[in-house]
Amino acid sequence: MLEYRVLPAGDTALVVEFGDRVDPRLSAAVLSLAQSLEGEHIAGIVETIPTFRSLMVLYEPLVLPAALLIEQIDTQIQKLNSHEIISRVWHLPVCYDSRFAIDLQDVAQRTSLSVQQVVERHSECLYHVYMLGFLPGQAYMGEVASELALDRRATPRTSIPAGSLAIAGRMSCVFPLETPCGWHIIGRCPVPLWDDITATALLAPADKVRFVPVSVREYESVAARAAEGVLKIEPVSDFVEAVA
Amino acid sequence: MKPTLRIIFPGLFTTIQDAGRYGFQRLGVSLGGALDPVALRAANLLAGNPAYAGAIEALYVGPTFAVEADDARLAFAGADAAIELLASADAVHGERIAPMQSVRVRRGQVVRIGSLKKGASLYIAVEGGFDIEPVLGSVSTDCRGKMGGWKGRTLAANDLLPLCRALATERDECRIEGLDLSPPQRFRTVLGPQNDYFSEAVIEGFFASEYTVSAESNRMGLRLDGPPLQHRHGFNIVSDAIATGSIQVPGGGQPIVLLADHQTTGGYPKIATVISADLPAMGRLPIGAKIRFAPTTVDEAARARRALNATLESLPGKLVRIAPPAAITTQLVECNLISGVHDAAA
């Protein structure tokens, strides 16, 4: 039986919290509930926001009072049963060259690893996309190898370029847009992760991502195709996971 | 030639905003939208536009711009401001225009808006609206996401904002009377979602304290100075989603009320959330404003929301036609006299 609690976030949002930690099982419950509420097309639900461990449900209180929405949520959670989540596996090129990886040397020092080892450990992992947030299309991917997990830098940077790949605690993120950032930049990905014309994010929660190290030349060739709008990137395969 | 408003001086933080960009927060896209949707709606009503058409939102210091259309009807609603209509960009003095009214402006005339008073935000609507392509269903400017509005950024000198209409319709100008935009005595909040990160005593202290709106406030959040709120067990939570109006408390203990441009997700505990009916007033608080919070229930919040909706629906009944230009001076004198008498009686 799933444990959860429903917390108010004012009078137009509820938080359905399945736990307080980063855990693929909690994430799966969050995504399943989001999917099942969506499938019900309940009048008065404005939108839902899945996160690591909770689902925010935004609602219009004069159409759907909170008490009725909570009943709906309870009903949907009772009905959540074991099923398969089909997600996609992506291989994303990343250039770990020092011209992009402004903190790689520093990360190596902090972790007592060589630059080569940091790149190997970071790129040998198959990451799980827990959620999107912070910026349009920005995926939180985890978890990085424990020896690579680092807290924020003492001084955040006022601006980092779009595509920057960071270690952010136990997560890794590619920032789809230029942004202020307090995390450790260890590379850059030339594949656009967000298209505001079509409102499409390349990655979705539950997807799997592997970072493939590429040379500066390969980076530039992919970036040039992206700039021309002729870059086609497809998932390498589907990923099927059973959810209890 | 395309009718436009030509920006001469952009003001401090001037953007195009409408009701916001709903439905894409799961992708990391912020809601955005007018900080004070009540004033936005008033400006659009005065201009003869749909309730939540995109308008210029000025914060703290207003813009100066020239009308490069045969003529245009502008409407101003929100904070008090010195709004002047100048004959040209070189003119020193012009005709003063009160906020909460519409005005017809001819080609070449310049509108100059000074610092905003008694409020943070002023909306400038133009009849027919701006000819700007919506992005994800909205013309709101998302400066962090660099999309929507005018080129996804604040307005800058020499921007030419395209207008849908080249001419104002033939009708009298209007003003809105009796719309109270003053902040509530206490902003009503629902506790949570992370009130369990604070002791009973800290929560009591929060409701007993006065907070001052800090100069570091922006469209993402209203930063408050006041007694710090101590966390019971740490201030880092595993990131969850953020609702507009949630009051997040970072490590230093100074609360931040999250406004329209807040991130979709974040990792600080949120002690309480300002109810939706009180959010428009939150969006018009100037720097230095002193505010207090009060606890309420979700049911009470729904009643407050109904009351706000009733106020919004009563707006057309508050429209008063302004007599033709010859009589304007007399009208203004009467207004001053009336408010003078009112003040004396208070």
Side-chain angles (χ1 to χ4, degrees):
Chain A
M1 194 50 229
L2 270 172
E3 277 184 36
Y4 65 97
R5 49 182 196 158
V6 182
L7 308 167
D11 59 321
T12 62
L14 291 172
V15 179
V16 187
E17 188 184 87
F18 291 95
D20 58 2
R21 50 184 207 284
V22 176
D23 176 340
R25 279 171 303 176
L26 299 184
S27 174
V30 168
L31 296 177
S32 301
L33 177 60
Q35 219 169 44
S36 84
L37 284 174
E38 201 173 308
E40 293 293 312
H41 299 288
I42 299 163
I45 293 186
V46 179
E47 58 183 304
T48 63
I49 311 174
T51 70
F52 291 108
R53 38 86 173 224
S54 63
L55 183 72
M56 179 172 276
V57 183
L58 289 99
Y59 65 101
E60 175 46 64
L62 301 187
V63 177
L64 178 62
L68 290 184
L69 175 55
I70 292 171
E71 277 177 32
Q72 293 274 11
I73 289 168
D74 288 337
T75 310
Q76 293 308 315
I77 293 180
Q78 302 311 318
K79 287 200 287 190
L80 293 184
N81 38 35
S82 58
H83 61 285
E84 282 177 346
I85 290 185
I86 301 170
S87 58
R88 303 163 297 176
V89 181
W90 302 91
H91 285 181
L92 294 182
V94 163
C95 181
Y96 291 91
D97 187 88
S98 59
R99 76 185 65 184
F100 302 132
I102 47 183
D103 294 323
L104 189 55
Q105 199 77 47
D106 181 53
V107 168
Q109 227 154 49
R110 283 169 190 253
T111 54
S112 312
L113 296 168
S114 70
V115 162
Q116 189 52 40
Q117 283 170 318
V118 172
V119 172
E120 275 169 21
R121 307 244 165 124
H122 188 266
S123 58
E124 72 193 7
C125 225
L126 186 64
Y127 294 101
H128 174 79
V129 175
Y130 280 94
M131 62 178 222
L132 303 184
F134 184 71
L135 283 176
Q138 184 187 321
Y140 285 82
M141 294 169 270
E143 294 183 89
V144 298
S146 56
E147 65 268 33
L148 292 184
L150 289 172
D151 285 337
R152 280 189 171 77
R153 286 162 41 82
T155 317
R157 290 194 173 85
T158 53
S159 174
I160 56 158
S164 292
L165 167 71
I167 290 177
R170 289 298 302 273
M171 294 294 135
S172 212
C173 293
V174 177
F175 296 93
L177 303 165
E178 182 227 315
T179 177
C181 180
W183 296 110
H184 311 267
I185 310 301
I186 59 162
R188 200 178 299 169
C189 171
V191 177
L193 299 181
W194 170 249
D195 177 0
D196 57 21
I197 305 300
T198 56
T200 4
L202 184 74
L203 304 174
D207 280 359
K208 309 286 175 191
V209 175
R210 190 185 298 284
F211 297 109
V212 181
V214 298
S215 66
V216 174
R217 180 182 288 213
E218 285 169 293
Y219 171 93
E220 278 166 355
S221 142
V222 177
R225 275 183 284 149
E228 282 168 41
V230 296
L231 179 67
K232 272 232 177 275
I233 177 130
E234 302 283 348
V236 291
S237 64
D238 282 345
F239 194 93
V240 184
E241 240 169 330
V243 177
Chain B
M1 217 170 72
K2 182 82 188 161
T4 62
L5 297 186
R6 179 168 55 85
I7 305 297
I8 296 167
F9 170 73
L12 198 59
F13 197 97
T14 307
T15 54
I16 304 286
Q17 299 293 338
D18 59 12
R21 194 167 273 119
Y22 283 84
F24 303 97
Q25 289 188 87
R26 62 167 61 224
L27 301 177
V29 178
S30 294
L31 276 180
L35 287 185
D36 180 359
V38 175
L40 170 67
R41 191 154 163 172
N44 276 322
L45 180 68
L46 285 165
N49 291 343
Y52 296 112
I56 295 176
E57 178 187 87
L59 296 181
Y60 313 121
V61 178
T64 300
F65 57 86
V67 170
E68 299 194 339
D70 286 344
D71 73 349
R73 175 166 288 108
L74 301 175
F76 308 90
D80 275 354
I83 305 169
E84 278 182 295
L85 187 55
L86 310 174
S88 72
D90 308 323
V92 181
H93 298 292
E95 179 194 338
R96 277 293 278 272
I97 301 163
M100 307 308 283
Q101 73 168 54
S102 66
V103 63
R104 197 162 166 174
V105 183
R106 316 269 166 202
R107 182 181 291 281
Q109 285 188 300
V110 168
V111 175
R112 183 167 70 195
I113 304 171
S115 299
L116 309 190
K117 296 179 205 91
K118 291 185 239 164
S121 45
L122 177 74
Y123 295 85
I124 306 152
V126 53
E127 184 183 21
F130 295 98
D131 191 9
I132 289 174
E133 205 54 47
V135 175
L136 312 190
S138 165
V139 296
S140 283
T141 313
D142 178 351
C143 292
R144 282 182 63 247
K146 298 176 178 55
M147 65 174 154
W150 182 247
K151 301 183 175 181
R153 59 163 171 80
T154 55
L155 299 185
N158 300 319
D159 282 346
L160 293 170
L161 295 182
L163 306 180
C164 290
R165 292 185 63 97
L167 278 171
T169 54
E170 291 301 332
R171 66 159 170 85
D172 288 339
E173 302 312 321
C174 292
R175 65 169 179 263
I176 289 179
E177 282 186 359
L179 173 64
D180 183 10
L181 292 179
S182 59
Q185 293 285 314
R186 284 168 173 270
F187 283 88
R188 292 163 288 184
T189 67
V190 175
L191 271 184
Q194 279 93 31
N195 49 314
D196 55 355
Y197 272 68
F198 305 89
S199 70
E200 285 295 324
V202 167
I203 290 170
E204 265 176 45
F206 170 66
F207 289 123
S209 303
E210 186 179 73
Y211 288 92
T212 308
V213 176
S214 145
E216 284 162 71
S217 300
N218 55 31
R219 279 187 46 88
M220 286 176 70
L222 214 58
R223 287 170 182 269
L224 302 178
D225 289 330
L229 302 169
Q230 198 145 31
H231 305 82
R232 189 146 59 178
H233 25 239
F235 56 85
N236 279 308
I237 62 170
V238 174
S239 281
D240 75 343
I242 293 172
T244 307
S246 270
I247 303 169
Q248 98 178 356
V249 185
Q254 297 297 336
I256 302 170
V257 186
L258 295 155
L259 299 181
D261 278 359
H262 66 80
Q263 295 165 199
T264 54
T265 55
Y268 293 117
K270 290 153 297 270
I271 188 169
T273 304
V274 177
I275 65 172
S276 58
D278 285 353
L279 275 176
M282 205 94 227
R284 62 180 85 108
L285 285 175
I287 289 160
K290 311 271 187 211
I291 59 167
R292 288 171 177 277
F293 297 98
T296 191
T297 61
V298 167
D299 288 344
E300 191 50 50
R303 275 190 285 279
R305 172 79 171 238
R306 247 178 232 114
L308 174 67
N309 284 358
T311 303
L312 290 172
E313 270 141 39
S314 74
L315 275 181
K318 293 182 164 60
L319 278 183
V320 178
R321 189 176 301 175
I322 301 176
I328 274 186
T329 327
T330 336
Q331 289 253 335
L332 286 177
V333 171
E334 273 170 23
C335 270
N336 287 337
L337 282 180
I338 291 162
S339 75
V341 169
H342 180 81
D343 286 351

